[in-house]
Amino acid sequence: MLIKTISIYLFISVLIASFFTTYVLTKSRSKYIRLFSVLSLCACIYMFGYLMELNSLILDDMIFWNMVQYFGLPFFPVLWLLVSMFYTKKINNLPLWKTLLLLSVPAITFIFRLTNFSHYLF
């Protein structure tokens, strides 16, 4: 019963995050809005993967959906930081090299997680 309740909650959360992603993109094309929509998309991907992992009965399916979660999960903290910094106007323009530097650790985590079957480091 608890799993079904959590599944309904997560399904509604995925729908709301998808709605925010599309709604925000239709309103404006500023840098802050694009970052917020990517943040919403990452949250949506993570919640959908978690929802499917909870509803899977076979271990291989659970492992697959856990890997799907990592398309959004490692990037979420960096995107949250960037959105909050743009919102509070601590930064107005972030150079590309600083953005890539911030995204390097999540990208490495993402690659390690997707190639875990060959090295088992994660």
Side-chain angles (χ1 to χ4, degrees):
M1 182 66 186
L2 182 63
I3 294 295
K4 288 184 181 181
T5 306
I6 292 172
S7 296
I8 291 170
Y9 169 73
L10 281 173
F11 182 71
I12 292 170
S13 299
V14 167
L15 289 177
I16 290 171
S18 301
F19 172 74
F20 277 145
T21 302
T22 56
Y23 179 75
V24 166
L25 276 177
T26 59
K27 291 298 177 187
S28 177
R29 293 287 180 181
S30 69
K31 195 175 275 194
Y32 170 70
I33 297 296
R34 283 184 282 163
L35 274 173
F36 183 76
S37 64
V38 172
L39 177 70
S40 297
L41 182 66
C42 285
C44 182
I45 291 170
Y46 170 70
M47 288 186 293
F48 181 72
Y50 187 60
L51 172 68
M52 295 304 290
E53 181 184 2
L54 283 179
N55 290 319
S56 297
L57 299 175
I58 302 169
L59 181 62
D60 290 337
D61 291 343
M62 291 178 188
I63 291 171
F64 171 75
W65 288 112
N66 187 282
M67 287 176 40
V68 168
Q69 290 177 27
Y70 273 85
F71 281 95
L73 182 65
F75 302 101
F76 196 76
V78 172
L79 291 171
W80 188 267
L81 174 70
L82 289 174
V83 165
S84 64
M85 289 177 76
F86 273 102
Y87 181 73
T88 58
K89 295 183 175 71
K90 295 290 181 185
I91 55 171
N92 289 331
N93 243 349
L94 193 63
L96 181 63
W97 69 272
K98 286 185 180 179
T99 307
L100 292 177
L101 185 66
L102 281 172
L103 289 172
S104 64
V105 173
I108 291 169
T109 304
F110 175 69
I111 291 168
F112 275 178
R113 179 61 184 109
L114 290 183
T115 60
N116 191 39
F117 58 89
S118 62
H119 52 70
Y120 300 106
L121 292 175
F122 199 83

